[in-house]
Amino acid sequence: MRIAFIGLGNMGAPMARNLIKAGHQLNLFDLNKSVLAELAELGGQISSSPRDAAQHSELVITMLPAAAHVRGVYLSEDGVLAGVKAGTPVVDCSTIDPQTARDVAAAAAKQGVDLADAPVSGGTGGAAAGTLTFMVGASADLFATLQPVLAQMGRNIVHCGEVGTGQIAKICNNLLLGISMIGVSEAMALGNALGIDTKVLAGIINSSTGRCWSSDTYNPWPGIIETAPASRGYTGGFGAELMLKDLGLATEAARQAHQPVILGAVAQQLYQAMSLRGEGGKDFSAIVEGYRKPE
Ligand code: NAD
């Protein structure tokens, strides 16, 4: 199938590589020329704009940083909607607010184009391994069309409901993740300060009622989980800046729904302070450093 892939960053590039490996022809667009050159070597075609990429494709996929980029890439003069043919399925995998997803889908629908939101979880490791979870907001027909292609980049392809519901699932999950990482950080730092071996403490938590992914898979304390960013200087994971963005999406959606997210708001402020200290580029589990004396 000929697929337009727009937004080839930390997530998009490995996702596109998996589609090339699966035998698809890709029309590629990104502002970063070096990633385009790298993927062209694997057989992808470089396009001159989102419009150009979409015009000649049977499916369009986008993976962009935030809502402003999504609006720009879809709605501008040289955007996807200026090029895409009626009836072409379109899916945006960026993490953005549900309302922008619905607005862009409404603009697409006016010209006979069905658009899904399908944010992912699983990080850059999952993107490379093709094991992402896709949370898909789409009509039943569009979900059925997209499912086989998304399955070439992911392991769990979940239909959450109509357009926008994928983003709702994603921001609720990341709200909880941002909070749970802070909870685990507090517990680990308190245990350390009171004098228990942190490995023993983590072992107890991970077989007791405090167990959660932030503790048993991604523990923020260095040396507990070998594969976690904490054990490699908080590099190469999910940046605190992206967590801050997702908590902003959650608190804003909550404001619109008149719904309290008290711990989410506190978590947002803690990651905001981390960003102010110039540490937004570190993995979000480095939030634990706020609870430790510098070495
Ligand atoms: P990234 O910043 O690495 O990549 C974004 C890419 O989009 C860049 O290559 C950039 O050049 C390109 N881009 C920006 N504006 C553009 C435009 N107008 N036209 C074309 N290309 C443009 O970000 P990422 O880590 O790949 O994340 C993408 C999305 O996935 C974000 O919404 C993020 O929240 C979400 N996400 C990231 C992770 C992760 O672990 N990194 C995990 C799950 C979800």
Side-chain angles (χ1 to χ4, degrees):
M1 185 187 278
R2 184 155 282 282
I3 301 174
F5 206 118
I6 301 162
L8 301 153
N10 290 334
M11 296 295 286
M15 290 163 71
R17 267 186 224 112
N18 282 332
L19 291 178
I20 293 172
K21 249 188 254 164
H24 297 290
Q25 288 108 38
L26 262 57
N27 288 341
L28 305 163
F29 184 73
D30 196 290
L31 302 177
N32 174 356
K33 300 272 182 288
S34 64
V35 74
L36 288 174
E38 195 192 302
L39 288 165
E41 275 191 16
L42 299 178
Q45 278 291 121
I46 300 177
S47 302
S48 58
S49 65
R51 172 190 183 155
D52 177 39
Q55 214 158 22
H56 304 105
S57 298
E58 298 154 83
L59 167 68
V60 178
I61 302 176
T62 51
M63 188 48 157
L64 297 155
H69 309 89
V70 172
R71 283 186 190 275
V73 162
Y74 278 92
L75 307 176
S76 67
E77 239 173 61
D78 243 1
V80 169
L81 296 188
V84 67
K85 292 189 219 60
T88 307
V90 175
V91 54
D92 176 41
C93 299
S94 326
T95 302
I96 60 169
D97 62 289
Q99 194 51 50
T100 297
R102 291 189 192 113
D103 291 348
V104 177
K110 280 194 192 143
Q111 53 188 84
V113 170
D114 203 1
L115 183 145
D117 56 314
V120 304
S121 79
T124 50
T131 57
L132 294 170
T133 292
F134 284 86
M135 297 159 241
V136 188
S139 63
D141 284 354
L142 180 58
F143 179 75
T145 305
L146 294 175
Q147 204 277 343
V149 180
L150 298 182
Q152 290 169 329
M153 300 180 283
R155 194 185 282 156
N156 303 313
I157 321 298
V158 183
H159 190 198
C160 299
E162 289 303 313
V163 70
T165 55
Q167 300 296 351
I168 294 171
K170 172 72 184 173
I171 63 180
C172 291
N173 179 71
N174 279 22
L175 170 73
L176 180 54
L177 175 63
I179 294 168
S180 73
M181 186 55 76
I182 294 167
V184 173
S185 296
E186 284 193 9
M188 293 300 298
L190 176 63
N192 181 61
L194 296 178
I196 190 171
D197 180 326
T198 48
K199 278 201 171 138
V200 173
L201 176 60
I204 297 289
I205 290 173
N206 294 342
S207 55
S208 303
T209 43
R211 182 171 63 85
C212 59
W213 185 90
S214 295
S215 178
D216 72 5
T217 307
Y218 213 86
N219 200 293
W221 203 264
I224 303 287
I225 309 275
E226 244 173 65
T227 50
S231 298
R232 49 169 194 267
Y234 301 101
T235 58
F238 181 52
E241 221 52 81
L242 284 178
M243 174 53 84
L244 183 57
K245 180 196 76 162
D246 291 357
L247 287 169
L249 293 175
T251 51
E252 176 54 22
R255 189 188 64 75
Q256 286 172 15
H258 302 284
Q259 186 65 28
V261 281
I262 298 153
L263 296 183
V266 173
Q268 184 186 12
Q269 293 305 310
L270 286 171
Y271 291 105
Q272 183 78 68
M274 189 175 162
S275 170
L276 182 69
R277 292 194 300 271
E279 290 167 4
K282 288 186 180 175
D283 181 75
F284 79 112
S285 63
I287 197 78
V288 75
E289 290 179 332
Y291 292 92
R292 303 183 67 179
K293 284 196 189 127
E295 306 222 315

